[in-house]
Amino acid sequence: MKVGFWCIGKTDDPYIKEGFDIYQKRLGNYLNFEYREIIPVKNKKSSDTKNIEAERDEILKSLKSNDTLILLDEKGKEFDSIGFSVFLQKKFNESAGSIIFLSGGAYGFHKDVYARAADIIALSKMTFTHQMVRLIFVEQLYRAMTILKGEKYHH
């Protein structure tokens, strides 16, 4: 099973990259994991709407028809770590293609991206920077995999 984690924009924060790299490497022991930064061509003089449309176009053209898209959005369903692992196992069982988790840009997602999504989940009711979401999510994905394998990382 291939699991993708796509993010709008890039991060240059060394502490985020370092932590992310640790969990990305660990995930390689459990699944085929792909991290992708989506950086659509934007015009700084364009409106937020035009920029969201550029993000939408890049996201939708990158997805395969059998991919399961799951948005990370503050309005999504929340899980504890065990609940997330159960959700993930269900997606593994149901999905014909890759499972793609998508973290949006500063202005959220275009309505067409919401329409394409199979699910919407939230990491928390709290707001995190888009940079921090990368590290928090990849750690939670790793935690879910250790729960599914019955390992001792999560107590």
Side-chain angles (χ1 to χ4, degrees), residues 14-79:
Y15 68 97
I16 298 287
K17 284 182 175 183
E18 182 180 348
F20 187 92
D21 290 346
I22 290 168
Y23 287 104
Q24 183 175 19
K25 183 176 178 183
R26 290 180 184 182
L27 280 169
N29 295 318
Y30 300 95
L31 45 80
N32 182 357
F33 179 73
E34 171 206 31
Y35 173 64
R36 179 173 177 197
E37 292 178 338
I38 296 176
I39 306 169
V41 177
K42 295 181 181 181
N43 182 340
K44 291 184 181 186
K45 295 180 182 179
S46 292
S47 67
D48 295 339
T49 302
K50 290 287 185 197
N51 287 331
I52 289 174
E53 288 171 353
E55 293 171 0
R56 171 205 59 199
D57 294 345
E58 188 67 29
I59 292 162
L60 296 180
K61 82 174 184 183
S62 299
L63 288 166
K64 296 182 180 104
S65 62
N66 64 346
D67 287 344
T68 300
L69 179 63
I70 302 169
L71 304 181
L72 301 181
D73 186 281
E74 63 188 9
K75 296 178 230 80
K77 179 177 167 91
E78 290 185 77
F79 296 98

Side-chain angles (χ1 to χ4, degrees), residues 85-95:
S85 70
V86 170
F87 170 82
L88 193 59
Q89 183 63 64
K90 183 178 176 198
K91 293 300 167 192
F92 288 160
N93 295 342
E94 295 172 350
S95 297

